[in-house]
Amino acid sequence: MAKGRVEFNEVRCKGCGLCVTACPKNVIEINPHKINQKGYSPATAARPEDCIACCNCAITCPDSVISVIKIG
């Protein structure tokens, strides 16, 4: 199965959590310990090694803050 790396533009992320719900491998979490410049807790890849590069998170994100890079 393909692997991937998910990246977030944390400055623009509003922490809506849609990407968390869309991820079939539970790679993404909202980081409650970080606040961005807009006052939101951004999404982060909590388990990046589990990413399968399905792109569900990027497709679901209403603000287009997620990039998925396919590896191998």
Side-chain angles (χ1 to χ4, degrees), residues 5-67:
R5 184 176 77 236
V6 61
E7 297 178 352
F8 301 87
N9 180 337
E10 292 184 352
V11 174
R12 291 183 41 224
C13 179
K14 64 184 178 198
C16 68
L18 292 174
C19 56
V20 176
T21 305
C23 181
K25 294 294 187 176
N26 298 316
V27 171
I28 305 169
E29 292 181 355
I30 300 299
N31 185 351
H33 305 290
K34 189 171 191 177
I35 303 292
N36 65 17
Q37 295 167 334
K38 293 184 176 187
Y40 298 112
S41 292
T44 189
R47 286 168 289 287
E49 66 279 0
D50 293 338
C51 181
I52 59 171
C54 68
C55 297
N56 287 349
C57 57
I59 293 167
T60 304
C61 181
D63 297 313
S64 299
V65 304
I66 303 172
S67 297

